[in-house]
Amino acid sequence: MDAKQLYESLKKIQEAKGYYFSNDKERVFELMEALLVNKQRYGYMVCPCRLASGSREADKDIICPCVYRAPDVAEFGSCYCNLYVSKAWNDGTIPHAYVPERRPPEKMAF
């Protein structure tokens, strides 16, 4: 699978759930490539914007789409990576604010 195939596959699944890819296609395709690299490296598509441990169990909260996506998009209109966004975020009807890291620090200590 390449980045374009991954994009098309995820787009159908996620848009049906109300999550959209950012209009910044260059950034989106960089993230698609990084997800594929992580899948090859770890065996699962861990968030490319976070440091993975290599343990699927330890990383389960950051396997894309991560468990933080829903609250991030609900509160800020975008996930931490700016990969998944709301329609309002893409339409520019809400500000593109910084999305703080929600992952607890103890999950990042390995």
Side-chain angles (χ1 to χ4, degrees), residues 10 13 15 21 31 36 84 94:
L10 292 176
I13 295 165
E15 282 189 1
F21 286 130
L31 291 168
L36 291 170
Y84 289 108
I94 61 171

Side-chain angles (χ1 to χ4, degrees), residues 40-53:
Q40 185 176 24
R41 183 178 293 154
Y42 302 111
Y44 49 94
M45 289 194 300
V46 69
C47 176
C49 301
R50 295 179 168 103
L51 187 58
S53 71

Side-chain angles (χ1 to χ4, degrees), residues 60-91:
K60 68 182 179 184
D61 63 318
I62 58 170
I63 294 175
C64 189
C66 73
V67 300
Y68 310 106
R69 176 186 69 172
D72 284 351
V73 173
E75 185 173 349
F76 299 101
S78 172
C79 73
Y80 183 68
C81 295
N82 300 132
L83 176 62
Y84 289 108
V85 300
S86 66
K87 188 172 181 333
W89 197 91
N90 265 345
D91 291 345

